[in-house]
Amino acid sequence: MFPTSKKEVDALGWDYIDIIFFTGDAFVDHPSFGTAAIARWLQKFGYRIAIVPQPNWRDDLRDFRKLGEPRLYFAVNAGAMDSMVNHYTAAKRLRSDDAYTPEGKAGQRPDYAVTVYTKILKQLYPHIPVVIGGVEASLRRLTHYDYWQDKLFPSILVGSGADYLSYGMGERTMLELTRGIEARRNPRDMHRIPQIAFFCSGEPKVKDALELHSFEECCRNKKALAENFHEIETHANMMHPATIIERVGKGYVQINPPYPPATTQEMDSFWDLPYTKLPHPRYKGKRIPAYDMIKFSINTHRGCFGGCNFCTIAAHQGKFIQSRSEDSILKEIAGLNKLPDFAGNISDLGAPTANMYGMRGKNPQLCDICRRKSCLFPAPCQNMDRSHARLLKLYEQVAAVKGIRHAYIGSGIRYDLFLNEKGFVDETSKPYFRELVLNHTSGRLKVAPEHTEDKVLHYLAKPSFKLFERLRYEFEKITREAGRKTGIVPYFISSHPGCTMHDMENLSRHPALRGIFMDQVQDFTPTPMTTSSVMYYTGLDPRDMKPVFVERNPERKKMQKSFFFKHK
C-alpha cells in the first residue's frame, strides 16, 4: 500500500519520495480511481509514490508540509469528479454529502480543488514542478464556461500556475513526463510530449498549429467561444488532431495531440498491476460510499463514440474504443474471489457504455480520416461494426469463472447499437438484448432516452424517441415470454438548451411512458467542455452557429423538472 503519512514512509525505510500525489478523494487502491491507476503504473517502473488524500487547506497547511519535498514533482488532482460538480446541485445548492469521503462527509475538499492545492504547493515549494491531471484539470484545459460563477475562465493552467497538465487517461503521458523531469530534459524537448498542456509566455513556436480565438476575445464575443469549441471538439474526436494554441494574456496555452488509442496489450498492462482493491488502512472501520458502488465492478474498455452533447466522456477518454483482452478481464474477475465480502456478484461488467466492448470501424482507414463527433448521431455510421458477438462470448466466459454467480451490467448501454425503429439490426442483436435483460439486469433495466421531443433530442444528440418505444416493445416481449416481472426505467433531462416548458409537458404526458416506473429526471447542469454547456452560455449551437432557446431562470428551471413529477 502507498504511504500517506511520515510514519508510513519511515516504516518503509525510504530516505526519499519521487512523487507526492495530492488528491481531493479518499485514497482507494482500485483501478476505477485515477490516483491509484497512475500511482500503480509509475510504481511499476520503479518510482516511489506517496499519497496525501484530502489535505486540509484551511489550517497551517501541515498536510502540505508533512512529507517534505519530492525528488521529482508534485502530482495534483481534484478526485474522480470536478470539485464543483461534487459540491453543488444544478440549483447551485451545496450538497450534504460526498461519496468519495469516509462516511460520506461533505466539505473535505475545496471548491476548484486543483487550483487551490497547486497554489499552496507553489507557495511552499516554488522550485518543485507541479503536474495537474484528472477530470477537473482535463476538462478545464482551455477557456471554459463556469456555471457556478456564471463567467468564462481561462485554462486552469493560468489560474493554478501548474507547470504541466496531463489530460485524458494519463498512464503513457505521466510516465514520459516523469522520465523527462528525472532526466532534466530541456523545456523545448519536454514541450513535445504528447497529451500534455502547458502555458508559455511570448509568441507560439509551433508551426501548423490550430490557433483558437484568444481568451480575451471569447470574453468579448460569445460567438468566438462557440467557434473555438467547435474546433476543439472536432479535433478531440479525430485520430490525428492538430496541436492547439490559445492565447491568453501575454502568453498562450498549448495542447499537444494525444497518444494514439491504447492497444489491447497496453490496456492489459494498465490493469495487470498489484492493486489491493481496498481503501487505504487509514480508513479502517469507515465506509466510503463511492468504493461500495465500484468495489466488485470490472472495467472492460475505455472510450465512447456516442457523442452525447451533455457528456464529457469522449473529451476525457476519447471517441475510439480501447478494449482489454478477454484473458485480462477474466483474470481480474477470478481475483475478486480473494476480496473480503465478495459473494460472487459482479456489480458492473462494463465501461462508459457497456455494449461498445470491442467495437470499431469495419474499415480502419475510414476511421483514420473521420471528423464525425459521433458514430451514432444523427444516424449510425455505415462503417461501424455493431456486432455483439464478442461481448456475448465474453459474458459466456465470465459465467464460467469459478465463484461467479451473477455479472450485472450497471453501466449505461446504447440501444441504438442493436435496435432501429423496425427491430433488431443484425443476428447478434436479439440474443444480446435477451441476455442483457434476463441474465445481467439487477432489478429494473435502466436506459437513457433523455427526452421524448425530436427538437430537444436534436440538441442532446440522441436518437428519436421512437427507438425507445421499440425498445420497450421488445423488452416486454422478452420478459413476458420468460415469465419475468420486471420493469424498465428511463432517464430524462429537464432544462437542457432547446427544451421549453411545453416540451416537458409533452414528455410528462407521452403515451409511450404509461405504466412505467419513473422518478429519474435530472435538471441540466452545465459542466466544462461540453457542447451543451457552450449552448447554455452562448445561446448558440456550435455545430451550426444557429440560436438556441436556453432556460436560465432558476425558478423556471425548477418548474421544468417539477412539472414532470406533478403530472405523474
Side-chain angles (χ1 to χ4, degrees):
M1 183 60 76
F2 296 99
T4 63
S5 66
K6 184 68 166 60
K7 183 179 179 181
E8 291 167 5
V9 171
D10 292 341
L12 291 170
W14 289 2
D15 55 354
Y16 67 88
I17 303 168
D18 289 313
I19 304 151
I20 302 176
F21 279 75
F22 285 82
T23 177
D25 287 345
F27 181 62
V28 179
D29 190 22
H30 190 287
S32 293
F33 290 79
T35 300
I38 301 302
R40 282 293 181 191
W41 180 248
L42 294 176
Q43 182 191 57
K44 176 181 178 178
F45 295 91
Y47 294 104
R48 292 180 177 180
I49 313 294
I51 315 286
V52 181
Q54 300 188 314
N56 189 339
W57 74 100
R58 299 185 181 100
D59 60 5
D60 60 1
L61 307 182
R62 66 187 67 182
D63 282 349
F64 292 87
R65 304 176 194 268
K66 66 182 181 181
L67 298 183
E69 297 182 5
R71 184 173 71 92
L72 298 177
Y73 63 87
F74 293 109
V76 171
N77 67 67
M81 295 174 66
D82 184 287
S83 56
M84 301 306 287
V85 178
N86 179 279
H87 281 172
Y88 300 96
T89 68
K92 300 185 181 180
R93 292 194 180 94
L94 198 62
R95 298 186 191 275
S96 59
D97 59 2
D98 181 347
Y100 295 88
T101 299
E103 305 301 343
K105 185 179 179 181
Q108 300 306 295
R109 80 188 81 210
D111 289 355
Y112 308 105
V114 169
T115 297
V116 172
Y117 294 162
T118 302
K119 281 185 170 181
I120 291 171
L121 291 169
K122 279 297 184 183
Q123 173 192 336
L124 296 176
Y125 312 99
H127 55 293
I128 303 291
V130 176
V131 180
I132 58 177
V135 168
E136 181 164 300
S138 183
L139 301 181
R140 294 174 180 263
R141 58 188 184 259
L142 289 160
T143 296
H144 57 280
Y145 171 65
D146 185 85
Y147 172 66
W148 299 273
Q149 293 196 37
D150 192 28
K151 68 177 186 179
L152 291 190
F153 278 21
S155 166
I156 195 170
L157 284 160
V158 176
S160 68
D163 297 273
Y164 300 102
L165 187 160
S166 169
Y167 69 90
M169 310 307 281
E171 288 92 348
R172 291 170 291 176
T173 310
M174 292 299 290
L175 180 59
E176 187 65 18
L177 264 172
T178 303
R179 286 171 168 170
I181 292 171
E182 182 176 36
R184 298 186 179 182
R185 286 159 55 182
N186 64 59
R188 186 174 179 180
D189 196 20
M190 292 289 286
H191 289 175
R192 294 193 182 101
I193 294 174
Q195 210 163 316
I196 65 166
F198 49 87
F199 174 79
C200 282
S201 57
E203 290 293 309
K205 301 172 181 64
V206 177
K207 295 180 180 179
D208 302 321
L210 167 65
E211 183 160 345
L212 304 174
H213 297 295
S214 69
F215 166 68
E216 290 78 10
E217 178 61 23
C218 290
C219 290
R220 288 190 294 266
N221 181 4
K222 289 184 176 182
K223 186 178 179 182
L225 179 71
E227 290 174 346
N228 271 12
F229 189 79
H230 177 70
E231 294 288 356
I232 294 166
E233 190 168 48
T234 297
H235 282 258
N237 288 291
M238 290 168 56
M239 187 69 79
H240 305 287
T243 298
I244 294 176
I245 298 292
E246 185 181 65
R247 295 175 189 261
V248 51
K250 295 182 179 179
Y252 62 94
V253 171
Q254 180 172 318
I255 312 290
N256 287 350
Y259 281 93
T263 65
T264 298
Q265 291 73 25
E266 286 172 327
M267 286 290 288
D268 288 355
S269 71
F270 301 155
W271 267 266
D272 187 22
L273 298 168
Y275 295 103
T276 64
K277 290 201 168 184
L278 298 170
H280 192 276
R282 66 187 284 152
Y283 307 120
K284 186 177 180 180
K286 296 181 179 180
R287 175 177 173 262
I288 301 173
Y291 170 67
D292 287 348
M293 289 186 279
I294 59 85
K295 61 182 176 180
F296 302 137
S297 68
I298 301 291
N299 199 306
T300 58
H301 61 280
R302 289 176 176 171
C304 179
F305 53 75
C308 299
N309 281 343
F310 52 88
C311 183
T312 60
I313 291 170
H316 189 62
Q317 294 196 12
K319 178 177 78 171
F320 300 98
I321 303 304
Q322 303 152 78
S323 300
R324 299 169 63 188
S325 71
E326 288 84 351
D327 286 346
S328 173
I329 294 167
L330 295 172
K331 179 182 176 182
E332 185 182 0
I333 288 172
L336 292 176
N337 289 300
K338 300 176 183 177
L339 293 178
D341 304 322
F342 182 65
N345 298 314
I346 298 171
S347 60
D348 184 20
L349 179 63
T353 302
N355 60 324
M356 288 183 182
Y357 177 72
M359 290 190 178
R360 62 186 66 194
K362 299 170 188 174
N363 181 350
Q365 292 179 325
L366 293 179
C367 295
D368 211 45
I369 60 173
C370 180
R371 294 172 67 92
R372 280 182 62 158
K373 172 190 172 183
S374 170
C375 303
L376 295 175
F377 184 86
C381 176
Q382 295 300 307
N383 189 47
M384 175 56 62
D385 182 358
R386 292 192 275 172
S387 171
H388 286 69
R390 184 176 175 186
L391 194 54
L392 281 166
K393 181 65 176 177
L394 176 64
Y395 292 166
E396 183 182 323
Q397 292 173 302
V398 169
V401 175
K402 186 178 179 180
I404 300 303
R405 298 171 58 198
H406 297 101
Y408 297 115
I409 312 301
S411 310
I413 61 163
R414 285 293 297 239
Y415 48 83
D416 46 352
L417 281 172
F418 57 83
L419 271 181
N420 58 33
E421 292 176 23
K422 296 179 181 179
F424 294 105
V425 300
D426 68 13
E427 68 279 0
T428 68
S429 297
K430 185 173 181 179
Y432 167 76
F433 190 46
R434 182 179 175 82
E435 175 74 10
L436 173 72
V437 171
L438 299 183
N439 297 322
H440 303 282
T441 299
S442 176
R444 299 179 176 93
L445 177 67
K446 298 174 183 178
V447 293
E450 307 297 3
H451 217 283
T452 58
E453 306 306 289
D454 287 341
K455 173 174 66 72
V456 182
L457 290 167
H458 167 75
Y459 292 119
L460 287 158
K462 296 286 284 188
S464 168
F465 190 69
K466 291 179 181 178
L467 206 58
F468 173 81
E469 295 178 38
R470 184 72 195 200
L471 180 83
R472 183 180 183 185
Y473 169 80
E474 298 294 348
F475 173 82
E476 291 179 346
K477 184 178 179 182
I478 288 171
T479 54
R480 184 171 59 252
E481 290 174 350
R484 295 282 184 90
K485 290 185 177 180
T486 186
I488 191 167
V489 179
Y491 284 69
F492 295 103
I493 291 180
S494 62
S495 303
H496 187 275
C499 181
T500 65
M501 200 72 71
H502 181 64
D503 293 320
M504 287 305 294
E505 179 178 5
N506 288 343
L507 186 158
S508 69
R509 297 180 183 278
H510 202 289
L513 296 175
R514 288 174 185 159
I516 289 182
F517 175 83
M518 287 190 297
D519 62 353
Q520 299 295 334
V521 177
Q522 179 180 349
D523 190 16
F524 169 67
T525 304
T527 56
M529 213 165 178
T530 68
T531 301
S532 299
S533 297
V534 173
M535 288 183 193
Y536 181 89
Y537 173 71
T538 65
L540 299 170
D541 186 337
R543 298 171 296 182
D544 57 17
M545 296 299 156
K546 292 181 180 179
V548 182
F549 167 77
V550 178
E551 183 56 80
R552 295 187 180 89
N553 182 283
E555 287 303 312
R556 291 187 65 82
K557 280 169 64 70
K558 185 178 179 181
M559 286 172 65
Q560 277 208 24
K561 184 177 181 180
S562 63
F563 188 92
F564 176 87
F565 295 103
K566 180 173 68 176
H567 281 274
K568 287 298 165 188

